[in-house]
Amino acid sequence: ARLELLGDILAEKPQEKKAINNALVLSGLPIVDSARIERLQVFIRDKFLDKHGEVVKFSMPTDENGNSLGFALCCFQTDQQALDALTDIQGASLDKMHTLNVFKFSDFNRLADADDEWKPPEKAPFVDRGDLRSWLREDRCHDQFGVLHTAGSVATIYWHWPGDPQPVDSATRNNWTESRLHWSPLGTYLATYHTKGIALWGGEKFEQINRFQHKNVQIIDFSPCERYLVTFSPSVTKEDPHAIKMFEVDTGKMKRSFLHEQAAKWPVFKWSHKGEFFARVQTGKALQVFETPSFSLLDKKSISVQDVQDLSWSPTDNILAYWIAETDNQPARVILMTMPEKREVATKMLFNVADCRMHWHPQGNYLCVRVNRYTKKKLDADNTPKYINIYTNFEVFRMREKNIPVEKIEVTDAVSCFTWEPHGSKFAMVQGIASKGLSVVFYQVNAHDIEKVKVLEKRNVNTISWSPIGQHVVLAGLRSANGGLEFIDTSDMKTTANQEHFGATDIEWDPTGRYVVTTVSFWHVKVDNASHVYSSHGTLLYKLNKLERICQFAWRPRPPTLLSDEQIKNIKKNMKTYSRRFEKEDLQSSTRASKELLEKRARLKTEYEKWRAKLLEKFRGEKQKRLELRGVDTDELDSNAQDFVEETLEFPIKVERIRIDKLPQVAE
Amino acid sequence: FAFSQLSQLNQIMKPICLLGHMRSITQVRFNRDGDLIFTCAKDPHPSIWFALNGERLGSLVGHNGAVWCVDCRWDSKKVLTGSADNSAKLWDTETGKCVLSVDTNSAVRSCGFDFAGTSAMLTTDKTMGYKCTILLYDIRQDPAGQPACQMLVPESKITSAVWGPLSRFLITGHENGDLCQMDVRAQKVIRTEKHHKGAINDIRMYKDGTMFVTASKDHTARLIDSYELQLFKTYKTERPVNSADISPLRPHVLLGGGQEAQDVTTSGAHVGKFDAKFFHTVYEEEFARVKGHFGPINSVGFTPDGRGFVTGGEDGFVRLHSFDNDYFDFEFE
């Protein structure tokens, strides 16, 4: 009897756990003296640990004087709690000088057991990706575009040879993407969506460059420099609760991931122009500006801004613009701040503001803040503000002038589709309501004022699409409107063409500003799916309608030009000489047709030569008769050269009249 | 489709304008050597010009009505003309003197020396009482108005006619688009083919006589072989083709045409928008246009060495062009 009892008791004997997965080591803590240790412990448990679960054990070792050593140990009740805590607090900053570095206790053992001998890591085999920019070196500088067709099951990349686009070799693939095609901002990569994540393709043959795992990825964003890829997926799990992930494109490594709590517009994280910073707003509370390549907060902390609503980067400078909502005792404000210095370079107070939207000029020359103002404000039953009589103001910040002066424009009508002219100083918008007739209004930002240059009335327009090089613009009525396209040259505000692509759902300029493509996408309309290609002046050049059920047409972007302004000026000056050469080449290449045409011509030529050969045979057979009939050989023009008579003709080339009495005197 | 390069030919190569006729040009012809140009128009005086500089050699005086056709003998010594005054005349090229004249029952539409230069063929129009007729004359002596032989064409009248290879037969184009080989001496139609849907306005032989090009009211020109009248190529335009010729030097075909005279509106008058069209012989593709005429082009011809071409229009102008180097370098791929 005693032996059986012993077995049960023995089973209850506490066992030493072999793996300690519920314990964490927190290092990077400040070193404090014995007086403040208690406070530090409370602080750490409060701020970082208690919210993740029950801390069963916490210990902060000290030296012989009672000072902390800079690290602490803690045990959670469950392994999962420890894991949650690790993910959340790793890299968190305590203050300017201290950042938490957290790792699992089990890792600690592993590190302690590590070999004393350092073994160099295995060299990863060099994968030669080839020339990722090969498409830019095409003979005639033609662009590429990608088409997703056959209801999305086939994607093809084409060379845009005007009038006769040709698919790129081995770039027609079935099920290349599961939702859409996405080009990287400088055109180097093609991103495709898959259940498992994103794949990037590039190089001459569009080989796979890298894969980025993110289950059920829904939408992505690239940093402007193409070094980083941000992905979002709504499928979060307990093990992987981060909806937003950031990857380094070259290595494929995930650099950081984020929880996504608030509803927000994509992209949640906005990039600075060189990819040095990315930022997001914590609505009402703070700006979080992160820096690369560390992917941690700039200066290790957020920028606390009460009532901040939204932010936007300048496309060409490290200037962050953000706006603060108005409160009972403070007006709304728009603030421009440089990064990383965090210096305010411009502030504008705005009164009676219901909402703001920021529109940067593509070359960063201006920032236009569209302010919805109200005349009266009421508070609803649940204290949400209700605005009456909304009118719109546009505050234009002149970024390139000293002290960034701001100018205001008022518009009483409802406003939509605000767009800046790239490389120019105009902007356009649609004003009015559909029932009364919409107008498109153009403004010009001059040195001392902003003038309204043109109002185009009664235009059923819902999209204003500027050429990427400026000057030309297309006013389009897409989707529910009837597909009307008005091409305007804004240098003289004349309409160069009026076209119609019935049912068009999308419009896109090519990166050089030479062509405009309108598409009727299968995703919106099930019939007549085609893309129409127009010149910048609105001439319909050709239709891409042989592909079935086109879903998406996407031009491949180009990196910005490497030419200096001076060089561009010189080229424009000598345009005539270049034009002559290019027109010659154009003629040759327009007759340099597709393979089929060349084959057809070769066939025709051989047939013709055969036919001629037979006729020539007959001709030669009759030579004798010809000699008899004429008495001389006249088969060729010079066959009877002996009959030629040589004649010299004189023509005066120049006639000069000289008065004899005015002849110079000859010196004796 | 770009033909910008060659259509600049107008600016690069200035044509020599021969202003010698008050009325629309009906035909322009070169002699075999290419140093003389013969032009006839709806006025009664055909002219002879030096092709080198456009200087006029002289005009042939004697006809009383529009001169429909002209031909120069292979040795350039004699000229043949056919007129609406119901006569055909043989002239001495050097002096311009009329050496023979024959009267016909109706207007003479086409005329031509045979290969040897010893016979002349004429075709006459169908008018009241008289059927369309082909007449052959021996011109070694005065025929005193008697044709060596003649042949009636009962149905569709002849609108254009040339001698076949070795002058064994005539190749005739008819108002209804028919193309026939006529052996006048044997009085029979050797062969008929219907390649065109409209009247054949002009037939021009290739330099070796083995093939020819037809220009038709049905807006096309066609390349056909002389021996079997087999259609080989078709060149399509949007307007009636009045005249066509084959380059002796390059695989090019030249077409001239335009609207009917009464359809021409005055809007384009100062622009000179009627153009001569160049097609590639084998690929049937148009690659260039040369503007300049103020009215439809009635007659075209390449210079015998292929280095230029001449066009005569409804506007009464004859334009002589020389090709520049780009023309000779231009290649289709």
Side-chain angles (χ1 to χ4, degrees), chain A residues 584 587-588 592 598 601 604 608 611-612 618-619 622 626 629-630 632 634 636-637 640 649 651, chain B residues 2 5 32 52-53 74 115-116 166 168 206 208 210-211 225 227 230 232 282-283 285 304 333:
Chain A
K584 206 173 180 181
L587 177 70
Q588 285 171 1
R592 177 209 307 163
L598 288 175
R601 286 196 183 152
L604 289 173
Y608 182 76
W611 186 65
R612 282 296 304 159
K618 290 204 183 120
F619 179 74
E622 294 168 349
R626 284 197 295 279
L629 286 171
R630 285 192 175 168
V632 282
T634 56
E636 295 298 325
L637 283 180
N640 57 335
L649 296 166
F651 295 100
Chain B
Q5 167 92 63
R32 195 184 81 87
L52 185 64
N53 59 352
W74 69 270
F115 189 80
L166 294 182
R168 274 195 235 109
Y206 184 54
D208 64 6
T210 57
M211 61 185 187
D225 91 294
Y227 302 97
Q230 186 198 21
F232 208 64
V282 182
Y283 306 140
E285 285 174 43
E333 278 178 39

Side-chain angles (χ1 to χ4, degrees), chain A residues 401-465:
Chain A
E401 288 180 36
K402 199 172 153 188
N403 296 330
I404 307 184
V406 185
E407 237 167 283
K408 183 167 80 170
I409 301 193
E410 265 196 42
V411 178
T412 39
D413 280 331
V415 166
S416 64
C417 305
F418 178 97
T419 45
W420 278 105
E421 174 193 14
H423 292 280
S425 50
K426 295 197 191 66
F427 57 89
M429 65 183 90
V430 175
Q431 293 180 3
I433 39 177
S435 51
K436 293 214 183 115
L438 300 167
S439 305
V440 179
V441 188
F442 288 85
Y443 295 80
Q444 165 87 37
V445 181
N446 297 320
H448 297 292
D449 68 347
I450 299 178
E451 77 176 278
K452 192 192 281 199
V453 281
K454 189 87 181 194
V455 179
L456 299 168
E457 291 181 348
K458 296 215 175 41
R459 298 296 205 274
N460 188 6
V461 166
N462 56 23
T463 310
I464 298 179
S465 179

